[in-house]
PDB file of all heavy atoms in Angstrom:
ATOM      1  N   GLN T   1     -78.989  79.051 -58.418  1.00  0.00           N
ATOM      2  CA  GLN T   1     -79.805  78.118 -59.210  1.00  0.00           C
ATOM      3  C   GLN T   1     -79.635  76.689 -58.699  1.00  0.00           C
ATOM      4  O   GLN T   1     -80.629  75.977 -58.468  1.00  0.00           O
ATOM      5  CB  GLN T   1     -79.393  78.196 -60.679  1.00  0.00           C
ATOM      6  CG  GLN T   1     -80.206  77.270 -61.585  1.00  0.00           C
ATOM      7  CD  GLN T   1     -79.683  77.237 -63.001  1.00  0.00           C
ATOM      8  OE1 GLN T   1     -78.504  76.994 -63.206  1.00  0.00           O
ATOM      9  NE2 GLN T   1     -80.557  77.494 -63.961  1.00  0.00           N
ATOM     10  N   ILE T   2     -78.377  76.253 -58.489  1.00  0.00           N
ATOM     11  CA  ILE T   2     -78.137  74.871 -58.043  1.00  0.00           C
ATOM     12  C   ILE T   2     -78.632  74.668 -56.617  1.00  0.00           C
ATOM     13  O   ILE T   2     -79.223  73.634 -56.275  1.00  0.00           O
ATOM     14  CB  ILE T   2     -76.633  74.552 -58.167  1.00  0.00           C
ATOM     15  CG1 ILE T   2     -76.228  74.570 -59.646  1.00  0.00           C
ATOM     16  CG2 ILE T   2     -76.309  73.204 -57.550  1.00  0.00           C
ATOM     17  CD1 ILE T   2     -74.735  74.390 -59.882  1.00  0.00           C
ATOM     18  N   GLN T   3     -78.424  75.671 -55.774  1.00  0.00           N
ATOM     19  CA  GLN T   3     -78.915  75.565 -54.389  1.00  0.00           C
ATOM     20  C   GLN T   3     -80.432  75.460 -54.368  1.00  0.00           C
ATOM     21  O   GLN T   3     -81.016  74.723 -53.554  1.00  0.00           O
ATOM     22  CB  GLN T   3     -78.463  76.793 -53.584  1.00  0.00           C
ATOM     23  CG  GLN T   3     -78.890  76.749 -52.118  1.00  0.00           C
ATOM     24  CD  GLN T   3     -78.172  75.652 -51.330  1.00  0.00           C
ATOM     25  OE1 GLN T   3     -76.977  75.705 -51.130  1.00  0.00           O
ATOM     26  NE2 GLN T   3     -78.919  74.632 -50.890  1.00  0.00           N
ATOM     27  N   GLY T   4     -81.077  76.187 -55.303  1.00  0.00           N
ATOM     28  CA  GLY T   4     -82.538  76.098 -55.397  1.00  0.00           C
ATOM     29  C   GLY T   4     -82.995  74.703 -55.758  1.00  0.00           C
ATOM     30  O   GLY T   4     -84.005  74.207 -55.234  1.00  0.00           O
ATOM     31  N   TRP T   5     -82.250  74.040 -56.661  1.00  0.00           N
ATOM     32  CA  TRP T   5     -82.609  72.660 -57.020  1.00  0.00           C
ATOM     33  C   TRP T   5     -82.506  71.747 -55.786  1.00  0.00           C
ATOM     34  O   TRP T   5     -83.401  70.947 -55.518  1.00  0.00           O
ATOM     35  CB  TRP T   5     -81.683  72.136 -58.116  1.00  0.00           C
ATOM     36  CG  TRP T   5     -81.799  72.872 -59.426  1.00  0.00           C
ATOM     37  CD1 TRP T   5     -82.806  73.699 -59.812  1.00  0.00           C
ATOM     38  CD2 TRP T   5     -80.866  72.832 -60.502  1.00  0.00           C
ATOM     39  NE1 TRP T   5     -82.573  74.179 -61.064  1.00  0.00           N
ATOM     40  CE2 TRP T   5     -81.381  73.661 -61.527  1.00  0.00           C
ATOM     41  CE3 TRP T   5     -79.652  72.185 -60.711  1.00  0.00           C
ATOM     42  CZ2 TRP T   5     -80.720  73.853 -62.728  1.00  0.00           C
ATOM     43  CZ3 TRP T   5     -78.998  72.365 -61.915  1.00  0.00           C
ATOM     44  CH2 TRP T   5     -79.516  73.190 -62.924  1.00  0.00           C
ATOM     45  N   ILE T   6     -81.386  71.873 -55.054  1.00  0.00           N
ATOM     46  CA  ILE T   6     -81.168  70.990 -53.900  1.00  0.00           C
ATOM     47  C   ILE T   6     -82.215  71.264 -52.814  1.00  0.00           C
ATOM     48  O   ILE T   6     -82.722  70.338 -52.166  1.00  0.00           O
ATOM     49  CB  ILE T   6     -79.742  71.172 -53.342  1.00  0.00           C
ATOM     50  CG1 ILE T   6     -78.707  70.890 -54.457  1.00  0.00           C
ATOM     51  CG2 ILE T   6     -79.501  70.249 -52.169  1.00  0.00           C
ATOM     52  CD1 ILE T   6     -78.852  69.516 -55.079  1.00  0.00           C
ATOM     53  N   ASN T   7     -82.543  72.537 -52.604  1.00  0.00           N
ATOM     54  CA  ASN T   7     -83.565  72.882 -51.603  1.00  0.00           C
ATOM     55  C   ASN T   7     -84.909  72.268 -51.980  1.00  0.00           C
ATOM     56  O   ASN T   7     -85.652  71.780 -51.123  1.00  0.00           O
ATOM     57  CB  ASN T   7     -83.707  74.394 -51.488  1.00  0.00           C
ATOM     58  CG  ASN T   7     -82.488  75.027 -50.831  1.00  0.00           C
ATOM     59  OD1 ASN T   7     -81.718  74.345 -50.133  1.00  0.00           O
ATOM     60  ND2 ASN T   7     -82.287  76.321 -51.040  1.00  0.00           N
ATOM     61  N   GLU T   8     -85.226  72.335 -53.275  1.00  0.00           N
ATOM     62  CA  GLU T   8     -86.504  71.763 -53.733  1.00  0.00           C
ATOM     63  C   GLU T   8     -86.538  70.257 -53.479  1.00  0.00           C
ATOM     64  O   GLU T   8     -87.563  69.715 -53.055  1.00  0.00           O
ATOM     65  CB  GLU T   8     -86.694  72.068 -55.222  1.00  0.00           C
ATOM     66  CG  GLU T   8     -88.009  71.567 -55.775  1.00  0.00           C
ATOM     67  CD  GLU T   8     -88.178  71.909 -57.249  1.00  0.00           C
ATOM     68  OE1 GLU T   8     -87.391  72.734 -57.783  1.00  0.00           O
ATOM     69  OE2 GLU T   8     -89.086  71.327 -57.889  1.00  0.00           O
ATOM     70  N   PHE T   9     -85.425  69.568 -53.724  1.00  0.00           N
ATOM     71  CA  PHE T   9     -85.377  68.127 -53.494  1.00  0.00           C
ATOM     72  C   PHE T   9     -85.403  67.811 -51.992  1.00  0.00           C
ATOM     73  O   PHE T   9     -86.002  66.821 -51.560  1.00  0.00           O
ATOM     74  CB  PHE T   9     -84.116  67.548 -54.142  1.00  0.00           C
ATOM     75  CG  PHE T   9     -84.018  66.059 -54.050  1.00  0.00           C
ATOM     76  CD1 PHE T   9     -84.813  65.245 -54.845  1.00  0.00           C
ATOM     77  CD2 PHE T   9     -83.154  65.454 -53.130  1.00  0.00           C
ATOM     78  CE1 PHE T   9     -84.718  63.865 -54.748  1.00  0.00           C
ATOM     79  CE2 PHE T   9     -83.060  64.084 -53.046  1.00  0.00           C
ATOM     80  CZ  PHE T   9     -83.846  63.282 -53.851  1.00  0.00           C
ATOM     81  N   ALA T  10     -84.746  68.694 -51.219  1.00  0.00           N
ATOM     82  CA  ALA T  10     -84.697  68.463 -49.769  1.00  0.00           C
ATOM     83  C   ALA T  10     -86.068  68.598 -49.123  1.00  0.00           C
ATOM     84  O   ALA T  10     -86.342  67.973 -48.089  1.00  0.00           O
ATOM     85  CB  ALA T  10     -83.708  69.441 -49.122  1.00  0.00           C
ATOM     86  N   GLU T  11     -86.944  69.433 -49.696  1.00  0.00           N
ATOM     87  CA  GLU T  11     -88.282  69.592 -49.136  1.00  0.00           C
ATOM     88  C   GLU T  11     -89.090  68.302 -49.249  1.00  0.00           C
ATOM     89  O   GLU T  11     -89.980  68.050 -48.437  1.00  0.00           O
ATOM     90  CB  GLU T  11     -89.013  70.729 -49.862  1.00  0.00           C
ATOM     91  CG  GLU T  11     -88.439  72.105 -49.570  1.00  0.00           C
ATOM     92  CD  GLU T  11     -89.137  73.201 -50.378  1.00  0.00           C
ATOM     93  OE1 GLU T  11     -90.038  72.849 -51.179  1.00  0.00           O
ATOM     94  OE2 GLU T  11     -88.783  74.388 -50.206  1.00  0.00           O
ATOM     95  N   LYS T  12     -88.802  67.518 -50.262  1.00  0.00           N
ATOM     96  CA  LYS T  12     -89.544  66.273 -50.463  1.00  0.00           C
ATOM     97  C   LYS T  12     -88.890  65.092 -49.757  1.00  0.00           C
ATOM     98  O   LYS T  12     -89.528  64.046 -49.579  1.00  0.00           O
ATOM     99  CB  LYS T  12     -89.651  65.968 -51.965  1.00  0.00           C
ATOM    100  CG  LYS T  12     -90.359  67.063 -52.754  1.00  0.00           C
ATOM    101  CD  LYS T  12     -90.359  66.746 -54.246  1.00  0.00           C
ATOM    102  CE  LYS T  12     -91.025  67.862 -55.041  1.00  0.00           C
ATOM    103  NZ  LYS T  12     -91.016  67.588 -56.499  1.00  0.00           N
ATOM    104  N   HIS T  13     -87.610  65.234 -49.414  1.00  0.00           N
ATOM    105  CA  HIS T  13     -86.883  64.147 -48.755  1.00  0.00           C
ATOM    106  C   HIS T  13     -86.120  64.723 -47.551  1.00  0.00           C
ATOM    107  O   HIS T  13     -85.640  65.840 -47.593  1.00  0.00           O
ATOM    108  CB  HIS T  13     -85.888  63.476 -49.722  1.00  0.00           C
ATOM    109  CG  HIS T  13     -86.521  62.958 -50.973  1.00  0.00           C
ATOM    110  ND1 HIS T  13     -86.827  63.773 -52.045  1.00  0.00           N
ATOM    111  CD2 HIS T  13     -86.922  61.698 -51.302  1.00  0.00           C
ATOM    112  CE1 HIS T  13     -87.368  63.038 -53.007  1.00  0.00           C
ATOM    113  NE2 HIS T  13     -87.451  61.771 -52.573  1.00  0.00           N
ATOM    114  N   ASP T  14     -86.021  63.965 -46.538  1.00  0.00           N
ATOM    115  CA  ASP T  14     -85.347  64.423 -45.318  1.00  0.00           C
ATOM    116  C   ASP T  14     -83.836  64.279 -45.493  1.00  0.00           C
ATOM    117  O   ASP T  14     -83.232  63.273 -45.088  1.00  0.00           O
ATOM    118  CB  ASP T  14     -85.846  63.592 -44.124  1.00  0.00           C
ATOM    119  CG  ASP T  14     -85.271  64.124 -42.810  1.00  0.00           C
ATOM    120  OD1 ASP T  14     -84.782  65.288 -42.822  1.00  0.00           O
ATOM    121  OD2 ASP T  14     -85.302  63.396 -41.810  1.00  0.00           O
ATOM    122  N   ILE T  15     -83.229  65.329 -46.107  1.00  0.00           N
ATOM    123  CA  ILE T  15     -81.787  65.284 -46.361  1.00  0.00           C
ATOM    124  C   ILE T  15     -81.180  66.622 -45.993  1.00  0.00           C
ATOM    125  O   ILE T  15     -81.879  67.621 -45.813  1.00  0.00           O
ATOM    126  CB  ILE T  15     -81.475  64.978 -47.843  1.00  0.00           C
ATOM    127  CG1 ILE T  15     -82.025  66.105 -48.729  1.00  0.00           C
ATOM    128  CG2 ILE T  15     -82.011  63.613 -48.264  1.00  0.00           C
ATOM    129  CD1 ILE T  15     -81.562  66.004 -50.173  1.00  0.00           C
ATOM    130  N   ASP T  16     -79.852  66.624 -45.914  1.00  0.00           N
ATOM    131  CA  ASP T  16     -79.094  67.849 -45.663  1.00  0.00           C
ATOM    132  C   ASP T  16     -78.930  68.592 -46.995  1.00  0.00           C
ATOM    133  O   ASP T  16     -78.424  68.027 -47.977  1.00  0.00           O
ATOM    134  CB  ASP T  16     -77.722  67.488 -45.076  1.00  0.00           C
ATOM    135  CG  ASP T  16     -76.945  68.726 -44.663  1.00  0.00           C
ATOM    136  OD1 ASP T  16     -77.472  69.845 -44.851  1.00  0.00           O
ATOM    137  OD2 ASP T  16     -75.808  68.554 -44.178  1.00  0.00           O
ATOM    138  N   ALA T  17     -79.336  69.879 -47.083  1.00  0.00           N
ATOM    139  CA  ALA T  17     -79.335  70.639 -48.343  1.00  0.00           C
ATOM    140  C   ALA T  17     -78.039  71.406 -48.563  1.00  0.00           C
ATOM    141  O   ALA T  17     -77.990  72.338 -49.374  1.00  0.00           O
ATOM    142  CB  ALA T  17     -80.520  71.602 -48.370  1.00  0.00           C
ATOM    143  N   ILE T  18     -76.983  71.050 -47.845  1.00  0.00           N
ATOM    144  CA  ILE T  18     -75.705  71.758 -48.018  1.00  0.00           C
ATOM    145  C   ILE T  18     -75.105  71.410 -49.387  1.00  0.00           C
ATOM    146  O   ILE T  18     -75.096  70.246 -49.796  1.00  0.00           O
ATOM    147  CB  ILE T  18     -74.732  71.405 -46.882  1.00  0.00           C
ATOM    148  CG1 ILE T  18     -75.220  71.997 -45.554  1.00  0.00           C
ATOM    149  CG2 ILE T  18     -73.320  71.902 -47.191  1.00  0.00           C
ATOM    150  CD1 ILE T  18     -74.349  71.640 -44.376  1.00  0.00           C
ATOM    151  N   VAL T  19     -74.595  72.447 -50.068  1.00  0.00           N
ATOM    152  CA  VAL T  19     -73.977  72.287 -51.391  1.00  0.00           C
ATOM    153  C   VAL T  19     -72.619  72.969 -51.368  1.00  0.00           C
ATOM    154  O   VAL T  19     -72.473  74.077 -50.850  1.00  0.00           O
ATOM    155  CB  VAL T  19     -74.847  72.910 -52.508  1.00  0.00           C
ATOM    156  CG1 VAL T  19     -74.149  72.770 -53.854  1.00  0.00           C
ATOM    157  CG2 VAL T  19     -76.215  72.255 -52.548  1.00  0.00           C
ATOM    158  N   ARG T  20     -71.610  72.297 -51.934  1.00  0.00           N
ATOM    159  CA  ARG T  20     -70.288  72.899 -52.058  1.00  0.00           C
ATOM    160  C   ARG T  20     -69.909  72.893 -53.553  1.00  0.00           C
ATOM    161  O   ARG T  20     -69.861  71.836 -54.164  1.00  0.00           O
ATOM    162  CB  ARG T  20     -69.252  72.108 -51.261  1.00  0.00           C
ATOM    163  CG  ARG T  20     -69.601  72.026 -49.772  1.00  0.00           C
ATOM    164  CD  ARG T  20     -69.096  70.749 -49.172  1.00  0.00           C
ATOM    165  NE  ARG T  20     -69.446  70.614 -47.767  1.00  0.00           N
ATOM    166  CZ  ARG T  20     -69.236  69.510 -47.065  1.00  0.00           C
ATOM    167  NH1 ARG T  20     -68.691  68.448 -47.636  1.00  0.00           N
ATOM    168  NH2 ARG T  20     -69.574  69.467 -45.792  1.00  0.00           N
ATOM    169  N   LEU T  21     -69.663  74.084 -54.069  1.00  0.00           N
ATOM    170  CA  LEU T  21     -69.428  74.224 -55.505  1.00  0.00           C
ATOM    171  C   LEU T  21     -68.038  74.773 -55.788  1.00  0.00           C
ATOM    172  O   LEU T  21     -67.610  75.733 -55.155  1.00  0.00           O
ATOM    173  CB  LEU T  21     -70.457  75.168 -56.149  1.00  0.00           C
ATOM    174  CG  LEU T  21     -71.938  74.823 -55.977  1.00  0.00           C
ATOM    175  CD1 LEU T  21     -72.789  75.840 -56.703  1.00  0.00           C
ATOM    176  CD2 LEU T  21     -72.218  73.427 -56.496  1.00  0.00           C
ATOM    177  N   GLY T  22     -67.346  74.145 -56.753  1.00  0.00           N
ATOM    178  CA  GLY T  22     -66.108  74.682 -57.307  1.00  0.00           C
ATOM    179  C   GLY T  22     -66.335  75.028 -58.770  1.00  0.00           C
ATOM    180  O   GLY T  22     -66.840  74.199 -59.533  1.00  0.00           O
ATOM    181  N   MET T  23     -65.965  76.243 -59.177  1.00  0.00           N
ATOM    182  CA  MET T  23     -66.277  76.700 -60.531  1.00  0.00           C
ATOM    183  C   MET T  23     -65.021  77.204 -61.237  1.00  0.00           C
ATOM    184  O   MET T  23     -64.115  77.772 -60.612  1.00  0.00           O
ATOM    185  CB  MET T  23     -67.306  77.832 -60.498  1.00  0.00           C
ATOM    186  CG  MET T  23     -68.622  77.480 -59.857  1.00  0.00           C
ATOM    187  SD  MET T  23     -69.778  78.848 -59.984  1.00  0.00           S
ATOM    188  CE  MET T  23     -70.577  78.755 -58.401  1.00  0.00           C
ATOM    189  N   ALA T  24     -65.034  77.039 -62.583  1.00  0.00           N
ATOM    190  CA  ALA T  24     -63.979  77.587 -63.450  1.00  0.00           C
ATOM    191  C   ALA T  24     -64.529  77.637 -64.870  1.00  0.00           C
ATOM    192  O   ALA T  24     -65.498  76.948 -65.199  1.00  0.00           O
ATOM    193  CB  ALA T  24     -62.709  76.733 -63.399  1.00  0.00           C
ATOM    194  N   ASP T  25     -63.910  78.483 -65.688  1.00  0.00           N
ATOM    195  CA  ASP T  25     -64.336  78.633 -67.087  1.00  0.00           C
ATOM    196  C   ASP T  25     -63.286  78.040 -68.015  1.00  0.00           C
ATOM    197  O   ASP T  25     -62.104  77.950 -67.686  1.00  0.00           O
ATOM    198  CB  ASP T  25     -64.535  80.109 -67.447  1.00  0.00           C
ATOM    199  CG  ASP T  25     -65.722  80.714 -66.723  1.00  0.00           C
ATOM    200  OD1 ASP T  25     -66.599  79.933 -66.296  1.00  0.00           O
ATOM    201  OD2 ASP T  25     -65.761  81.950 -66.584  1.00  0.00           O
ATOM    202  N   TYR T  26     -63.747  77.640 -69.184  1.00  0.00           N
ATOM    203  CA  TYR T  26     -62.817  77.253 -70.248  1.00  0.00           C
ATOM    204  C   TYR T  26     -63.079  78.155 -71.449  1.00  0.00           C
ATOM    205  O   TYR T  26     -64.225  78.323 -71.831  1.00  0.00           O
ATOM    206  CB  TYR T  26     -63.004  75.791 -70.655  1.00  0.00           C
ATOM    207  CG  TYR T  26     -61.981  75.385 -71.696  1.00  0.00           C
ATOM    208  CD1 TYR T  26     -60.721  74.929 -71.295  1.00  0.00           C
ATOM    209  CD2 TYR T  26     -62.252  75.501 -73.049  1.00  0.00           C
ATOM    210  CE1 TYR T  26     -59.766  74.583 -72.242  1.00  0.00           C
ATOM    211  CE2 TYR T  26     -61.301  75.168 -73.989  1.00  0.00           C
ATOM    212  CZ  TYR T  26     -60.058  74.715 -73.602  1.00  0.00           C
ATOM    213  OH  TYR T  26     -59.112  74.387 -74.530  1.00  0.00           O
ATOM    214  N   PRO T  27     -62.035  78.741 -72.051  1.00  0.00           N
ATOM    215  CA  PRO T  27     -60.623  78.578 -71.718  1.00  0.00           C
ATOM    216  C   PRO T  27     -60.272  79.235 -70.394  1.00  0.00           C
ATOM    217  O   PRO T  27     -60.739  80.326 -70.093  1.00  0.00           O
ATOM    218  CB  PRO T  27     -59.897  79.240 -72.883  1.00  0.00           C
ATOM    219  CG  PRO T  27     -60.847  80.250 -73.391  1.00  0.00           C
ATOM    220  CD  PRO T  27     -62.216  79.680 -73.200  1.00  0.00           C
ATOM    221  N   PHE T  28     -59.412  78.564 -69.658  1.00  0.00           N
ATOM    222  CA  PHE T  28     -59.083  79.058 -68.325  1.00  0.00           C
ATOM    223  C   PHE T  28     -58.133  80.251 -68.401  1.00  0.00           C
ATOM    224  O   PHE T  28     -58.241  81.188 -67.617  1.00  0.00           O
ATOM    225  CB  PHE T  28     -58.468  77.914 -67.503  1.00  0.00           C
ATOM    226  CG  PHE T  28     -58.274  78.261 -66.049  1.00  0.00           C
ATOM    227  CD1 PHE T  28     -59.383  78.429 -65.223  1.00  0.00           C
ATOM    228  CD2 PHE T  28     -57.010  78.435 -65.526  1.00  0.00           C
ATOM    229  CE1 PHE T  28     -59.201  78.764 -63.885  1.00  0.00           C
ATOM    230  CE2 PHE T  28     -56.830  78.774 -64.195  1.00  0.00           C
ATOM    231  CZ  PHE T  28     -57.923  78.936 -63.366  1.00  0.00           C
ATOM    232  N   LEU T  29     -57.187  80.196 -69.339  1.00  0.00           N
ATOM    233  CA  LEU T  29     -56.245  81.304 -69.535  1.00  0.00           C
ATOM    234  C   LEU T  29     -56.669  82.110 -70.764  1.00  0.00           C
ATOM    235  O   LEU T  29     -56.633  81.605 -71.884  1.00  0.00           O
ATOM    236  CB  LEU T  29     -54.814  80.779 -69.724  1.00  0.00           C
ATOM    237  CG  LEU T  29     -54.233  80.017 -68.532  1.00  0.00           C
ATOM    238  CD1 LEU T  29     -52.843  79.509 -68.873  1.00  0.00           C
ATOM    239  CD2 LEU T  29     -54.196  80.898 -67.286  1.00  0.00           C
ATOM    240  N   PRO T  30     -57.091  83.366 -70.614  1.00  0.00           N
ATOM    241  CA  PRO T  30     -57.593  84.150 -71.758  1.00  0.00           C
ATOM    242  C   PRO T  30     -56.560  84.321 -72.861  1.00  0.00           C
ATOM    243  O   PRO T  30     -56.916  84.437 -74.024  1.00  0.00           O
ATOM    244  CB  PRO T  30     -57.964  85.495 -71.129  1.00  0.00           C
ATOM    245  CG  PRO T  30     -58.214  85.187 -69.690  1.00  0.00           C
ATOM    246  CD  PRO T  30     -57.247  84.089 -69.345  1.00  0.00           C
ATOM    247  N   ARG T  31     -55.272  84.338 -72.513  1.00  0.00           N
ATOM    248  CA  ARG T  31     -54.247  84.591 -73.526  1.00  0.00           C
ATOM    249  C   ARG T  31     -53.651  83.311 -74.090  1.00  0.00           C
ATOM    250  O   ARG T  31     -52.860  83.351 -75.019  1.00  0.00           O
ATOM    251  CB  ARG T  31     -53.124  85.442 -72.926  1.00  0.00           C
ATOM    252  CG  ARG T  31     -53.550  86.858 -72.590  1.00  0.00           C
ATOM    253  CD  ARG T  31     -52.367  87.674 -72.107  1.00  0.00           C
ATOM    254  NE  ARG T  31     -51.301  87.730 -73.089  1.00  0.00           N
ATOM    255  CZ  ARG T  31     -50.093  88.246 -72.855  1.00  0.00           C
ATOM    256  NH1 ARG T  31     -49.812  88.744 -71.666  1.00  0.00           N
ATOM    257  NH2 ARG T  31     -49.186  88.266 -73.792  1.00  0.00           N
ATOM    258  N   ALA T  32     -53.977  82.171 -73.513  1.00  0.00           N
ATOM    259  CA  ALA T  32     -53.415  80.903 -73.982  1.00  0.00           C
ATOM    260  C   ALA T  32     -54.507  79.845 -73.894  1.00  0.00           C
ATOM    261  O   ALA T  32     -54.618  79.114 -72.920  1.00  0.00           O
ATOM    262  CB  ALA T  32     -52.210  80.511 -73.141  1.00  0.00           C
TER     263      ALA T  32
END
């Protein structure tokens, strides 16, 4: 989804469409 957004913006502007994503959920520890 996020890469699709960047690609769409890159088509209109001459930019590099590379995306680097770091992900995590909260709560991070299911037991605490």
Side-chain angles (χ1 to χ4, degrees):
Q1 181 187 53
I2 295 175
Q3 182 68 66
W5 296 344
I6 303 304
N7 290 340
E8 183 179 347
F9 184 74
E11 291 177 358
K12 300 177 182 179
H13 304 80
D14 185 17
I15 63 170
D16 186 359
I18 291 177
V19 178
R20 301 149 182 172
L21 303 182
M23 301 184 218
D25 292 338
Y26 183 86
F28 188 69
L29 297 178
R31 292 184 59 188

